[in-house]
Amino acid sequence: MESPTSTFTLLEQARAGDEQALSRAFEKYQKRLAVLVHFKLSPQARAFSDVEDVVQEIFLRAFRDLGRFEYQSPGSFLRWLSAIADHVIVDRVRYQNRERRAGEDVPFRSPSNPAGPEPRDTKTPSRLFAQQEAVERLLDRLGALPEDYRQAILMAKIEGLSTLEMAQRLGKSREAVALLVYRAVKRFRAICEAAE
């Protein structure tokens, strides 16, 4: 039996009309998605796209397309969000130098837009600040890793890919990928211990 807070259960509740369940599902993945987005954005793209804005746009698109998502296994929801992230980032890069077209962004509910969606995040400013600090520490520590180690950790620990999926993506054997992940995690732990 699934836990009442499992992603599968939350998504089933959301499909049945429980908006809070969808918010809880998004909240479970917000930090991991922020880390993915940070490293998927090029340094030039980070100059005009705030990571949190990209994450919010991903959640908005996921909300709109939830009916298309098919739960296959643990981790499939994050992989789906990651694919949406790729599309959001490509769209932002394509349109960075163009004038924004009217109606491109969906404004949140306000007195002038009473039919708009509610803002998803209703946390206090101090909680948001603490959460942002934790993400920044994680980004700094991941940024200190060599590129191949960082990619291995992002794929294995953030995206939740199996060694087989990583091997296919990287064009390496499963054994080589397992060794790469082991070494990357070991180096990451050393960086974390040194920072404390």
Side-chain angles (χ1 to χ4, degrees):
M1 184 172 162
E2 292 280 340
S3 155
T5 59
S6 75
T7 303
F8 178 80
T9 303
L10 290 172
L11 293 175
E12 288 301 307
Q13 292 170 349
R15 286 185 173 146
D18 183 352
E19 291 179 16
Q20 292 301 316
L22 187 58
S23 290
R24 288 193 305 274
F26 286 161
E27 192 171 301
K28 280 180 71 170
Y29 293 98
Q30 184 169 1
K31 288 181 187 175
R32 292 167 73 183
L33 199 54
V35 171
L36 275 175
V37 167
H38 175 83
F39 286 106
K40 285 180 181 245
L41 286 170
S42 67
Q44 298 83 7
R46 279 188 226 128
F48 64 84
S49 288
D50 180 64
V51 169
E52 285 304 313
D53 289 344
V54 173
V55 170
Q56 290 301 317
E57 188 171 342
I58 293 164
F59 287 152
L60 181 60
R61 289 187 188 190
F63 171 75
R64 289 178 181 165
D65 294 337
L66 188 61
R68 295 181 186 171
F69 172 71
E70 291 183 29
Y71 186 91
Q72 298 169 349
S73 64
S76 59
F77 187 61
L78 180 61
R79 285 190 292 277
W80 184 63
L81 292 174
S82 178
I84 293 172
D86 292 340
H87 293 286
V88 169
I89 290 167
V90 166
D91 288 348
R92 284 182 174 247
V93 169
R94 276 189 191 142
Y95 296 111
Q96 74 172 335
N97 293 326
R98 297 180 186 175
E99 292 182 11
R100 287 173 49 179
R101 295 184 294 243
E104 184 176 313
D105 292 334
V106 176
F108 287 119
R109 186 171 298 170
S110 67
S112 64
N113 185 28
E118 282 290 330
R120 192 194 71 71
D121 200 352
T122 58
K123 294 181 179 180
T124 64
S126 61
R127 284 185 185 165
L128 291 172
F129 183 71
Q131 194 175 54
Q132 183 62 31
E133 280 186 332
V135 169
E136 287 176 12
R137 278 194 306 274
L138 178 59
L139 293 175
D140 288 343
R141 292 171 182 175
L142 285 170
L145 290 170
E147 178 67 24
D148 59 338
Y149 284 7
R150 182 173 47 251
Q151 288 303 321
I153 288 178
L154 289 174
M155 285 188 276
K157 303 300 182 185
I158 305 292
E159 286 187 73
L161 298 178
S162 69
T163 53
L164 177 61
E165 291 167 322
M166 290 176 63
Q168 291 169 344
R169 191 181 284 184
L170 295 173
K172 297 183 178 192
S173 70
R174 288 178 76 176
E175 294 79 15
V177 167
L179 183 59
L180 178 64
V181 171
Y182 171 78
R183 288 177 176 164
V185 169
K186 186 175 177 180
R187 174 82 63 89
F188 183 72
R189 284 184 181 144
I191 290 170
C192 291
E193 289 171 6
E196 292 175 1

